Amino acid sequence: MAVLVTGGAGYIGSHACVALIQSGHNIVVLDNLSNSCRASLEQVSEITGVKFPVVIDDVNDRAALDRLFTAYQIDAVMHFAGMKAVGESCELPLTYYRNNVAGTLTLCEAMKDYGVRTLIFSSSATVYGEPLSNPITEDFPVHATNPYGQSKVMVEQVLHDLVQADALAAVPFWNIAILRYFNPVGAHASGKIGEDPLGIPNNLLPFISLVAVGKLKELSVFGGSYPTPDGTGVRDYIHVMDLAEGHVKALDKLTDEKTSSGCHTWNLGTGNGYSVLEMVSAFEAASGRPIPYKIVDCRPGDIAECWADPSKAESELGWKATRGLMEMMEDTWRWQSQNPNGFSK
Ligand SMILES: NC(=O)c1ccc[n+]([C@@H]2O[C@H](COP(=O)([O-])OP(=O)(O)OC[C@H]3O[C@@H](n4cnc5c(N)ncnc54)[C@H](O)[C@@H]3O)[C@@H](O)[C@H]2O)c1
């Protein structure tokens, strides 16, 4: 199976490339390097011992997609390419809708024209907004609270509409998985790839890691009076390699049922919630470094707590996260301590 990995140079995409190669798939990566660099892909080759084609282009560029689908026989697409910073999306909604929504439309148009029917889309637990209760199942209502989340809701709607339209066609075309990630953390156990954000990180673990290596003075904990056991926000953190393996399982499932079609949605989470302060203590234990922090105002739109019910993925995909909190922390620390400057050595 040849899989096009859009956004394959990024954090989750690069780990998915490793999981795909190690489960015997061929890959082609498409990335515009707007939030990543080629070095991550060189490291993927180093880890796997496999070289693969890398196309530096944009998913919004239809001519580039035509060239790619003409040059390579693609069987399925994993679509990671997109922008992901909630705060930035509130400042630049047009940029986010262009990149995340229009980019996906362009990709789907090209897939249709080249007869590529299998798509795995990176969605997010952010589509659930503030859930009425926890754990969250896939049938909870979706109502995003910011343009980033809204872009995921919109793409999900488009993908459902494609499958809806298939019901009217003589032969249904689309075979789609929507994967709603909870909070990806950690790094490949080799320490060769990991999360390497540009500028001040938006996510908790990269922020903690940069405090640990002395690049940032202290961690700002957004909100200390949520209705949670220690007052800080609670999230479902999932190891990025578990997440990557979930993608391979979803691909197996879609391609197992070659004759079928449709749009399936699966939560990828662990089912456990940890508070910010629990994450800080776990990281201190794994790294042996103190993480000074201060509690500051909560961010508008942030929710108190959320964690997944991952049982649908377990029963339908045979997938379950296996890596625990300490493994997430140790792998993050190995990546950060071996690469204090990320991929720019
Ligand atoms: N990291 C998270 O916490 C998280 C949570 C839920 C969902 N997601 C989604 O997962 C996907 C991957 O996230 P990530 O954390 O790996 O982000 P990332 O920024 O590390 O990776 C995204 C990659 O896509 C590339 N890219 C962006 N726009 C592109 C375009 N128009 N054409 C080609 N390449 C483009 C970037 O250069 C980058 O390499 C995103 O769609 C994101 O919204 C991420």
Side-chain angles (χ1 to χ4, degrees):
M1 170 99 23
V3 183
L4 170 62
V5 185
T6 77
Y11 172 46
I12 303 169
S14 57
H15 290 78
C17 288
V18 171
L20 280 166
I21 292 170
Q22 290 183 337
S23 42
H25 298 290
N26 295 321
I27 61 167
V28 176
V29 168
L30 169 70
D31 202 299
N32 67 1
L33 303 185
S34 56
N35 197 35
S36 55
C37 57
R38 257 181 186 276
S40 65
L41 296 170
E42 286 154 16
Q43 296 294 76
V44 169
S45 289
E46 178 113 359
I47 293 167
T48 58
V50 172
K51 291 209 183 305
F52 48 85
V54 176
V55 177
I56 306 301
D57 258 317
D58 197 297
V59 284
N60 283 289
D61 183 343
R62 178 56 205 257
L65 294 181
D66 286 335
R67 286 194 299 274
L68 191 154
F69 282 110
T70 306
Y72 302 100
Q73 170 64 45
I74 301 293
D75 301 302
V77 178
M78 286 192 185
H79 181 35
F80 296 96
M83 300 171 76
K84 62 170 180 178
V86 168
E88 187 183 55
S89 79
C90 298
E91 290 161 28
L92 303 171
L94 281 176
T95 309
Y96 270 68
Y97 290 125
R98 160 68 58 199
N99 210 40
N100 293 5
V101 182
T104 307
L105 299 184
T106 306
L107 176 67
C108 288
E109 284 165 354
M111 289 177 68
K112 179 93 195 183
D113 288 348
Y114 289 88
V116 182
R117 52 193 294 270
T118 301
L119 172 68
I120 296 179
F121 173 65
S122 299
S123 190
S124 166
T126 195
V127 300
Y128 295 116
E130 175 100 57
L132 293 172
S133 60
N134 283 289
I136 300 170
T137 51
E138 289 82 351
D139 55 4
F140 272 37
V142 296
H143 57 99
T145 54
N146 53 69
Y148 166 66
Q150 206 55 260
S151 74
K152 296 294 183 191
V153 172
M154 286 180 188
V155 170
E156 287 199 5
Q157 185 61 54
V158 169
L159 299 180
H160 281 294
D161 289 347
L162 291 178
V163 168
Q164 196 72 30
D166 264 356
L168 309 171
V171 182
F173 180 80
W174 291 100
N175 197 14
I176 296 174
I178 292 171
L179 301 182
R180 292 180 177 155
Y181 314 158
F182 280 68
N183 291 67
V185 295
H188 189 263
S190 63
K192 289 181 189 295
I193 54 173
E195 190 166 8
D196 182 19
L198 301 172
I200 305 283
N202 291 298
N203 290 343
L204 178 64
L205 254 277
F207 205 122
I208 292 180
S209 308
L210 291 182
V211 173
V213 291
K215 290 195 166 252
L216 293 172
K217 200 170 111 267
E218 61 186 0
L219 170 71
S220 297
V221 177
F222 297 107
S225 51
Y226 285 114
T228 59
D230 65 20
T232 64
V234 169
R235 296 289 181 275
D236 183 336
Y237 295 94
I238 174 169
H239 195 293
V240 66
M241 283 309 298
D242 277 327
L243 191 63
E245 289 160 11
H247 286 69
V248 177
K249 289 286 191 187
L251 179 66
D252 290 348
K253 177 78 178 173
L254 294 187
T255 48
D256 241 18
E257 299 175 350
K258 255 212 160 78
T259 47
S260 80
S261 55
C263 183
H264 312 264
T265 302
W266 289 293
N267 283 341
L268 295 185
T270 65
N272 302 311
Y274 292 104
S275 74
V276 176
L277 297 185
E278 285 174 310
M279 296 296 279
V280 169
S281 306
F283 191 89
E284 287 179 329
S287 66
R289 302 263 174 120
I291 305 296
Y293 67 86
K294 65 166 188 262
I295 308 253
V296 299
D297 288 346
C298 55
R299 293 181 293 195
D302 270 358
I303 60 173
E305 53 185 10
C306 98
W307 63 91
D309 178 340
S311 56
K312 185 166 181 265
E314 185 174 359
S315 63
E316 295 181 2
L317 302 179
W319 170 90
K320 192 177 184 322
T322 58
R323 296 163 177 88
L325 185 60
M326 281 323 282
E327 199 168 344
M328 299 180 204
M329 298 302 172
E330 284 160 7
D331 289 344
T332 303
W333 180 235
R334 190 174 306 105
W335 153 252
Q336 190 65 55
S337 54
Q338 288 178 12
N339 307 275
N341 300 317
F343 290 109
S344 29
K345 304 230 161 147

